[in-house]
């Protein structure tokens, strides 16, 4: 049996409170808005000139998929090489479904 916990997602009860508690215990200041994160990451990518190409490994999860789409939008197809890594821990036929989803996203 396993439990996966994501306090950062909107549907986790009291998730924001949990994150804010962690931030306070860590001695940090909650100086972000989740709605601003895409813009901040995009601006950060634009400020650093690309030298060469970028290799981005995709797992099929939300984090790597969002990262890939953001990199694709900001860097373009010529500078970006995406690689799907099947770890062998996916459900039956899930790797195939993930590849189909990636193809539909371009």
């Amino acid at each position: 049996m396993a439990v996966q916990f994501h306090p950062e997602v909107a549907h986790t009860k009291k998730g924001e409170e949990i994150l804010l508690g962690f931030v306070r215990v860590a001695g940090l200041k909650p100086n972000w808005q989740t709605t601003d994160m895409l813009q901040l990451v995009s601006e950060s990518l634009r400020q650093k000139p690309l030298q060469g190409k970028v290799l981005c490994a995709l797992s099929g999860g939300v984090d790597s998929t969002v990262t890939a789409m953001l990199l694709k939008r900001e860097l373009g197809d010529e500078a970006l090489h995406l690689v799907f890594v099947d770890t062998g821990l996916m459900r039956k036929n899930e790797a195939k479904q993930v590849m189909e989803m990636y193809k539909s996203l371009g």
Side-chain angles (χ1 to χ4, degrees):
M1 178 186 273
V3 175
Q4 189 172 15
F5 177 64
H6 288 279
E8 73 278 9
V9 296
H11 60 271
T12 297
K13 293 180 182 178
K14 301 195 181 215
E16 188 172 346
E17 289 177 45
I18 293 167
L19 285 175
L20 289 173
F22 172 79
V23 167
R24 285 189 202 101
V25 168
L28 304 171
K29 293 181 181 179
N31 61 351
W32 72 91
Q33 294 290 326
T34 53
T35 54
D36 298 335
M37 293 309 295
L38 180 61
Q39 180 181 347
L40 292 171
V41 172
S42 295
E43 288 172 5
S44 176
L45 285 170
R46 287 186 208 122
Q47 290 175 2
K48 298 176 185 175
L50 177 66
Q51 304 203 354
K53 297 189 180 228
V54 172
L55 174 65
C56 179
L58 299 158
S59 68
V62 173
D63 295 339
S64 64
T65 302
V66 169
T67 298
M69 294 304 292
L70 179 60
L71 289 171
K72 180 180 171 69
R73 186 179 82 180
E74 296 302 325
L75 303 178
D77 290 330
E78 293 299 316
L80 182 62
H81 187 74
L82 301 171
V83 177
F84 171 58
V85 178
D86 181 351
T87 63
L89 299 173
M90 296 184 146
R91 296 173 190 93
K92 184 177 180 179
N93 298 322
E94 188 174 13
K96 181 181 175 185
Q97 293 169 345
V98 168
M99 284 301 297
E100 290 171 1
M101 177 198 57
Y102 285 148
K103 286 177 186 174
S104 75
L105 293 172

